[in-house]
Amino acid sequence: MNLGQLRILIVGAGVAGLALGQALRRRGCIPDIIERNAGWSDAGTGMYLPGNALRALRALGLDAEVEKRGARIETQRFCDHRGRLLSEVNLGSVWNETGPCVAIHRADLHVALREMKDAPPVRMGVTLVSLTQTAESAIVHLSDGSRERYDLVVGADGIGSSVRRLVFDDAGLRALKQWGWRFVVPCPPQIATWSVLMSRQSACLTVPVGGGRAYCYVDLMGTEPPKSLAISTDRLQEVLADFAGPAIAIREALEGSVAIHAAAIEEVVLDSWSLGRALLVGDAAHAMSPNMAQGAAMAIEDALVLTDCLSEQPGIGATLSAYAARRRPRVGWVQAMTHRRDRIRQLHPTLRNGLLRLFGHRVYRSHYRPLLAEP
Ligand SMILES: Cc1cc2nc3c(=O)[nH]c(=O)nc-3n(C[C@H](O)[C@H](O)[C@H](O)COP(=O)(O)OP(=O)(O)OC[C@H]3O[C@@H](n4cnc5c(N)ncnc54)[C@H](O)[C@@H]3O)c2cc1C
């Protein structure tokens, strides 16, 4: 199709929506993008981006900028809760030429995406009210009172997607028995790379994210739900006291003024991501537990593959079929590995730690190997 003539609405200006806007713009299509938030926020915590995420960012001309704003990560260290090393993965030997692994503050990734040269404008503070479809177009009613017709409406509106609610009756959303607390502190010198400390039902991940900051993610898994997700700094200090290694330095850096983000982890699994002229991408289509750190990578790859399919296929129906054929096996693999890693996490610690000591590098490589191929 001639992308310059297509009318596309992207709902949501997160990683998926901004990446899609830029991918389309590079092929001559200026989409409309709406974002429900009235302004940009510098809130949020850290994100870890494995090599395939940086390769996808390279296709948008953004890899160097993201690496400059973040921190390059050379190793992933898996330890028991006392900080004893079980396995260390040399990331260069796994990802090779695919791309470096980088950790970054989420707000910095967003700034890099939205400040790209010629980035399409975003209509802030606007959301979707209704979506109806005919054979020829999708008709949307927006919260600013406008009504518009589009060739394609893309729901890039995250795990709580309105497009998914309107088109798929909110199918596919599942709670996982996981709860997480995240925060960013000034980076202690002891935190030089990605490390996770694992106890029986809890883990503590630490990683530098650039700009002299470190990101920490503490979770609970497979237990009874916590009475409340809200957690005080004092209580978090107590939780961190169960861990040694880098957690000790994080405890010292964690002060009352630090913003703690709490989340009950959910996933989205759908048999189909599209209906008529509406398509879901990113977390709206396939949110998952964060243990593979593939959320941003999958969202940006979705954007690149959709843009390819739009330019290669003769119509929207053929585009959406080609897109599903290319994306479903890869996203399905990541979802399956995510479930497998969650199961490994929940093995008895003696068994899990032994497995990681003996086969940690091999297990890591096998989980990510298919992602070395181009999406
Ligand atoms: C605890 C945790 C840790 C994670 N860690 C990592 C990690 O280390 N690495 C990684 O790659 N991924 C990680 N992820 C996953 C990652 O955050 C997501 O996969 C990624 O943000 C998905 O991007 P998205 O654009 O699809 O959705 P979002 O980032 O959620 O963006 C959706 C956007 O749409 C907007 N929106 C929502 N509804 C509407 C509406 N009705 N109208 C208009 N706009 C709307 C929202 O305001 C938002 O701006 C983690 C997730 C969790 C929960």
Side-chain angles (χ1 to χ4, degrees):
M1 281 182 289
N2 178 350
L3 264 66
Q5 290 176 352
L6 278 180
R7 293 218 57 205
I8 298 181
L9 173 69
I10 300 173
V11 182
V15 177
L18 292 170
L20 180 58
Q22 183 67 353
L24 289 169
R25 204 247 347 127
R26 289 165 75 95
R27 302 275 187 93
C29 170
I30 307 290
D32 287 347
I33 309 179
I34 58 169
E35 165 58 48
R36 73 172 168 199
N37 289 334
W40 300 112
S41 154
D42 59 3
T45 56
M47 293 184 95
Y48 176 54
L49 306 173
N52 61 319
L54 269 285
R55 173 180 54 201
L57 287 163
R58 195 188 311 144
L60 297 176
L62 262 191
D63 53 329
E65 181 63 24
V66 167
E67 203 178 339
K68 191 174 89 192
R69 289 173 180 273
R72 188 186 272 233
I73 304 299
E74 307 282 1
T75 56
Q76 279 185 233
R77 291 168 59 84
F78 296 83
C79 307
D80 70 10
H81 69 289
R82 292 167 65 182
R84 290 175 300 201
L85 185 65
L86 304 170
S87 170
E88 179 167 88
V89 177
N90 174 335
L91 294 165
S93 75
V94 175
W95 290 100
N96 298 314
E97 302 304 310
T98 311
C101 299
V102 169
I104 187 168
H105 196 289
R106 185 181 286 265
D108 288 343
L109 176 63
H110 276 236
V111 170
L113 282 161
R114 67 180 190 253
E115 290 186 355
M116 280 177 295
K117 190 166 174 299
D118 300 325
V122 177
R123 283 157 67 184
M124 303 298 292
V126 180
T127 183
L128 189 64
V129 175
S130 69
L131 191 162
T132 50
Q133 302 199 46
T134 66
E136 289 77 36
S137 55
I139 303 141
V140 300
H141 177 196
L142 303 180
S143 60
D144 61 2
S146 57
R147 272 177 203 277
E148 319 255 2
R149 282 176 182 273
Y150 291 96
D151 298 307
L152 180 66
V153 172
V154 182
D157 47 350
I159 192 159
S161 171
S162 297
V163 179
R164 197 178 66 242
R165 179 170 44 76
L166 290 170
V167 177
F168 294 93
D169 208 12
D170 222 1
L173 184 67
R174 294 205 291 237
L176 299 169
K177 279 188 136 193
Q178 293 176 44
W179 302 271
W181 296 272
R182 299 176 269 177
F183 56 93
V184 171
V185 290
C187 189
Q190 297 89 331
I191 296 182
T193 193
W194 186 105
S195 309
V196 71
L197 306 157
M198 288 174 285
S199 70
R200 175 119 203 211
Q201 288 180 309
S202 181
C204 169
L205 183 156
T206 57
V207 66
V209 289
R213 296 159 299 178
Y215 162 55
C216 179
Y217 177 58
V218 183
D219 76 356
L220 259 183
M221 186 185 225
T223 62
E224 286 304 307
K227 284 196 184 68
S228 158
L229 264 183
I231 194 167
S232 67
T233 314
D234 288 348
R235 176 68 193 119
L236 198 51
Q237 290 275 9
E238 285 169 26
V239 174
L240 284 167
D242 288 343
F243 299 97
I248 296 170
I250 286 284
R251 274 186 78 195
E252 283 163 10
L254 177 60
E255 291 171 358
S257 58
V258 170
I260 299 166
H261 298 251
I265 307 299
E266 297 172 304
E267 67 175 8
V268 174
V269 180
L270 286 166
D271 291 338
S272 171
W273 297 325
S274 66
L275 189 71
R277 293 171 175 272
L279 170 71
L280 302 173
V281 296
D283 272 14
H286 46 64
M288 47 190 108
S289 134
N291 69 38
M292 294 271 284
Q294 278 294 314
M298 290 297 113
I300 304 165
E301 287 185 5
D302 285 355
L304 297 174
V305 173
L306 177 59
T307 305
D308 274 358
C309 294
L310 282 163
S311 61
E312 286 162 6
Q313 299 298 326
I316 295 296
T319 293
L320 297 181
S321 300
Y323 174 81
R326 265 177 77 178
R327 289 306 284 158
R328 287 205 75 91
R330 191 169 173 100
V331 171
W333 169 269
V334 177
Q335 283 175 324
M337 290 307 105
T338 299
H339 293 152
R340 182 175 295 179
R341 287 162 79 92
D342 279 343
R343 284 196 298 274
I344 293 175
R345 271 270 315 269
Q346 291 181 84
L347 291 173
H348 188 279
T350 312
L351 186 59
R352 180 193 63 204
N353 295 352
L355 181 77
L356 288 173
R357 252 190 221 104
L358 288 173
F359 304 114
H361 206 284
R362 201 186 300 173
V363 168
Y364 180 94
R365 192 186 285 274
S366 72
H367 290 170
Y368 285 95
R369 195 194 309 272
L371 305 180
L372 301 183
E374 294 277 349

